[in-house]
Amino acid sequence: MEKSQGKRESWGSRIGFIMAAAGSAVGLGNIWRFPYLTGTNGGGAFILIYLVFVLGVGLSIMTAEFAVGRRANLAAAGAFKKFNPRFTFAGVLGVLSAFFIMGFYPVVGGWALAYVFKSVTGLLSNSAAIGDYFGTFITSSIEPLVWMLIYLLANILIVARGVQGGIEKASKVMMPSLYVLFIIIAIRSITLPGAGAGLEFIFKPDFSQVTGSTFLAALGQAFFSLSLGMGCMLTYGSYLSKEENLQKNALIVTLMDTSVALIAAIAIFPALFAFGMEPAVGPGLVFVVVPSIFAQMGGIGVILSVIFFIALTLAALTSSVSLLEVVVAYLIDERKMERKKSVNLAGGIMVITGILSSLSMGALSGVKILGVGFFDFFDILTDKIFLAIGGMLIAIFVGWFMKKEDLKDELTNGGTIKFGLFELWYNVTKYIIPIAIGVVAVAGIMSIEQTALMIFGIALIVVLAIFSKKL
Ligand code: PFF
């Protein structure tokens, strides 16, 4: 469907939209990042704080994004501009966030894809060498680059086909498959002897390791995992029909996303403890610990490993297409470009940032911007500042710059459906969320090591805000 000039594209069905929005939410954030953050932040306490942010902040912001997107019938930047031009920068910040996340996401997506094949070509044959194997793989120049490019190409092909024909169709197949695959692995994991210690690790909170940066990590993770704070859900909401119940959809998507994160933790930690391994290994967790677990299971391990990495790749794909879509929708709506051209332009830039990120693990490991390599630059800037500030901006925008009646009208479909918690949602979004994010951001930024990077990120947002009128 090529409808950039005429009628705007839309979702084909309700279930299609839910699958696409949940597809965007469920991704590397749930299966790669959530477990390793849980592992490095002490387990249950981190999960509990995370859940509080998801339900207390994330759900309301998702509702807000859906409402603003559908009301404006435009993607992020255009939607803000339509209601208040001084906020255009919040949309542009979202487009920038999408570019930055796509600066590192396809690299990890490429690793996941590579591991589908590596699972059957010897990765699991020597369990003691799996850590070194991962290290050698990600630091080599050509191999991860090739996988990253294949992964990125898949994104470009899907998004070029449009909203209904590409994103919706792909998500409708990929999301249910993912659920089934993960549940199989989780069941295997909790039935291993000694799995109880892992369940205790994730469900029995120990607050002794909690600091300011734990809260920032949990908040950033909530935004990242739910695809919030950068206009992605706003853009998806803009393709939604006027008959849909927005708050119900937001709740379904939030619960789906959270359940996958929890299932991923249940799949990983019981097995990890059953095999006497260490939880706090960082970003390599999924790629080192999970194959090690599978390697110790014999023949069935190979099959489970293939299933696991297919699931991870599919989950990643339905998320990165939404990131690409944020940029593409901006180019279509605001720059009046055609879909195919926009995809090629955005995809082309992402090839370059992806190459830099991939090489920053190896050949370019000496190149630092503000103290970190390319991969970390894109990752930390978005996860630790842009998404949280973006979420704060949408809360402020909805609470202070939109008409309350308009919001009520949008969320009740012109008074035809009920939203009993409207007042609660409105006041939480208007007063509590901006303050909560502000407090967490300040506490977190103060306890973070990459001070120069944080200052740069904030300065960038300020510059965007100042030049808002020109955007
Ligand atoms: N939510 C995705 C994940 O958990 O992997 C990542 C993501 C997608 C973040 C889209 C932001 C976004 F707009």
Side-chain angles (χ1 to χ4, degrees), residues 447-462:
S447 64
I448 218 164
E449 287 159 29
Q450 298 85 3
T451 324
L453 189 58
M454 293 295 132
I455 294 172
F456 169 77
I458 291 165
L460 202 62
I461 298 173
V462 173

Side-chain angles (χ1 to χ4, degrees), residues 24-30 101 105 224-228 230 232 319 322-323:
S24 163
V26 175
L28 295 172
N30 306 58
I101 296 178
Y105 209 92
F224 186 85
S225 190
L226 293 167
S227 304
L228 297 175
M230 47 160 290
C232 177
S319 298
S322 72
L323 289 158

Side-chain angles (χ1 to χ4, degrees), residues 19 56 152 166 168-170 226 284 310 324 339 350 354 361 444:
M19 288 303 164
L152 203 49
E168 183 171 341
K169 233 185 214 156
L226 293 167
I310 289 178
L324 181 53
R339 176 165 284 273
M350 288 164 188
M361 305 278 159

